[in-house]
Amino acid sequence: MERLSSFEGSRESRKIISRSPTETMDLGRRIGELLPEGTVVSLEGGLGSGKTLLVKGMAPGLGIESDVLSPSFILMEEYKGERPVLHYDLYRLEELGEVERIGLFESVDGRNIVIVEWGDRLPEGALDFDVRIILKVTGDEEREIVIEAPADLLGAVTQDGGL
Ligand SMILES: Nc1ncnc2c1ncn2[C@@H]1O[C@H](COP(=O)(O)OP(=O)(O)OP(=O)(O)O)[C@@H](O)[C@H]1O
Ligand SMILES: [Mg+2]
């Protein structure tokens, strides 16, 4: 599977059911392997829905060798992958000035991969997300995962994963 060089196609959305943490990690890995540089991703869904686990799954596909942490208390973690990967968590965001101070908008530079947990806490239109992933707890070990993304990414993620 080859990393996409850029996105093509209209935006589409697809629903995937994950039946275990491992399935969510596998989905993350496929997404991480494919994302073009410069991609901006929003992860949305309640506490414990699997946002951070999905990022942990994405890490090897993005060339990250260090552990992925949950950046909740500090808002941002930076990892060295093939490209810098910036992982934000806006759960504790109280005012937009905070994301400006931690450099969220500047980090969207067309090269970095930017992943934002609780991206839906930003005001409408504050950031143009290429990919939105919305997770919902539907059982102890079951999560409904809706991916909104350009058609070529969705096609590659679901086809190679046999989904
Ligand atoms: N199918 C599944 N997919 C993902 N996580 C699952 C699944 N089944 C159970 N879990 C559990 O749900 C929890 C998900 O935690 P995770 O930290 O990834 O959530 P989160 O959405 O990042 O939460 P927060 O908003 O607190 O940051 C983990 O403990 C994981 O083991
Ligand atoms: Mg999290």
Side-chain angles (χ1 to χ4, degrees):
M1 200 160 30
E2 218 168 297
R3 179 173 304 289
L4 302 170
S5 54
S6 63
F7 289 128
E8 279 170 31
S10 56
R11 294 182 68 78
E12 289 179 11
S13 112
R14 199 153 308 173
K15 188 194 292 181
I16 292 165
I17 303 296
S18 161
R19 295 199 164 76
S20 67
T22 311
E23 278 190 27
T24 298
M25 295 270 287
D26 286 348
L27 174 67
R29 185 176 38 76
R30 290 198 298 281
I31 295 171
E33 281 168 357
L34 288 159
L35 287 186
E37 66 172 1
T39 306
V40 186
V41 182
S42 174
L43 299 179
E44 304 170 15
L47 292 168
S49 57
K51 301 179 294 298
T52 300
L53 201 68
L54 198 63
V55 181
K56 286 184 203 278
M58 288 166 71
L62 293 169
I64 298 170
E65 287 170 8
S66 58
D67 276 350
V68 166
L69 310 168
S70 182
S72 300
F73 294 96
I74 41 162
L75 289 172
M76 196 268 277
E77 280 286 339
E78 177 169 357
Y79 307 105
K80 281 202 181 63
E82 285 168 38
R83 294 272 172 237
V85 178
L86 300 161
H87 178 192
Y88 296 89
D89 188 316
L90 304 187
Y91 180 60
R92 286 181 172 74
L93 182 72
E94 282 174 5
E95 39 117 12
L96 199 58
E98 287 178 83
V99 275
E100 279 160 13
R101 278 193 292 281
I102 58 173
L104 171 63
F105 300 116
E106 282 149 55
S107 69
V108 177
D109 64 355
R111 291 179 68 244
N112 297 328
I113 303 259
V114 177
I115 304 172
V116 186
E117 291 191 40
W118 296 97
D120 49 336
R121 297 220 157 179
L122 286 174
E124 181 92 35
L127 208 55
D128 247 344
F129 290 109
D130 302 297
V131 178
R132 279 182 75 214
I133 304 178
I134 304 132
L135 301 97
K136 202 157 94 184
V137 179
T138 48
D140 265 2
E141 294 245 298
E142 194 185 86
R143 302 291 185 269
E144 183 190 283
I145 303 176
V146 174
I147 308 179
E148 284 177 21
D152 57 349
L153 175 70
L154 265 184
V157 165
T158 48
Q159 198 174 33
D160 291 329
L163 295 166

